[in-house]
């Protein structure tokens, strides 16, 4: 029974970051409850998997550092507030070891997202694209923001197999 509970806790991470990506893609917002649920699920997973207190402390420090970095990026208007919170909550789950992979994959997918949005927002692409839902039209609008939560989710999912929690599974 404990194994089932641990499995469900581990599945919470991809489910929540994918939910955040879809919400950001379709509405340019990431609800606060997603970051809150990630934090709560991490606390339960850390206990269920018996993470040592030192590991939990390092994970919390990594999450706090990611939040500080996210707040700076938000203040510079590089990302939205929901992006900063998602970035930090995912970093909490990933910890120190996978953090460089997380940053690398997030930056790489962010670059690919930017290239894709530039192509989507070009005049030739807009002329041939079929009319779609309102969120897609807003996404294709030149000068619109980028839903960076998508890149954060891709980076988090790519680094997740390297996390201490997955290693204990």
């Amino acid at each position: 029974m404990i194994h089932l509970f641990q499995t469900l806790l581990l599945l919470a991470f991809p489910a929540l970051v994918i939910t955040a990506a879809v919400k950001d893609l379709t509405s340019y917002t990431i609800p606060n409850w997603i970051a809150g649920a990630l934090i709560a699920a991490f606390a339960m997973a850390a206990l269920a998997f018996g993470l040592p207190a030192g590991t939990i402390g390092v994970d919390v420090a990594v999450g706090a550092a990611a939040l500080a970095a996210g707040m700076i990026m938000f203040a510079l208007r590089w990302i939205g507030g929901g992006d900063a919170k998602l970035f930090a909550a995912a970093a909490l789950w990933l910890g120190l070891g996978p953090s460089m992979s997380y940053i690398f994959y997030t930056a790489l997918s962010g670059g690919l997202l930017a290239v894709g949005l530039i192509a989507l927002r070009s005049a030739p692409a807009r002329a041939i694209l079929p009319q779609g839902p309102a969120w897609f039209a807003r996404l294709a609008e030149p000068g619109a923001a980028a839903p960076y939560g998508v890149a954060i989710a891709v980076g988090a999912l790519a680094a997740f197999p390297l996390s201490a929690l997955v290693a204990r599974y």
Side-chain angles (χ1 to χ4, degrees), residues 27-80:
S27 68
Y28 286 108
T29 59
I30 301 172
N32 289 333
W33 69 262
I34 294 176
L38 279 166
I39 293 166
F42 171 79
M44 290 187 288
L47 293 175
F49 281 92
L51 282 183
T55 302
I56 294 171
V58 169
D59 290 349
V60 169
V62 168
L67 182 59
M71 291 170 64
I72 291 168
M73 290 186 283
F74 173 72
L76 295 171
R77 300 188 189 266
W78 292 352
I79 62 173

Side-chain angles (χ1 to χ4, degrees), residues 1 46 64 73 88 92 115 122 145 147 154 166:
M1 186 64 157
M73 290 186 283
L92 171 70
V115 169
S122 69
V154 170
V166 173

Side-chain angles (χ1 to χ4, degrees), residues 116-138:
L117 288 174
I118 289 168
L120 177 67
R121 294 170 179 174
S122 69
R126 290 177 46 101
I128 62 171
L129 287 174
Q131 185 70 344
W135 67 266
F136 186 76
R138 189 172 55 244

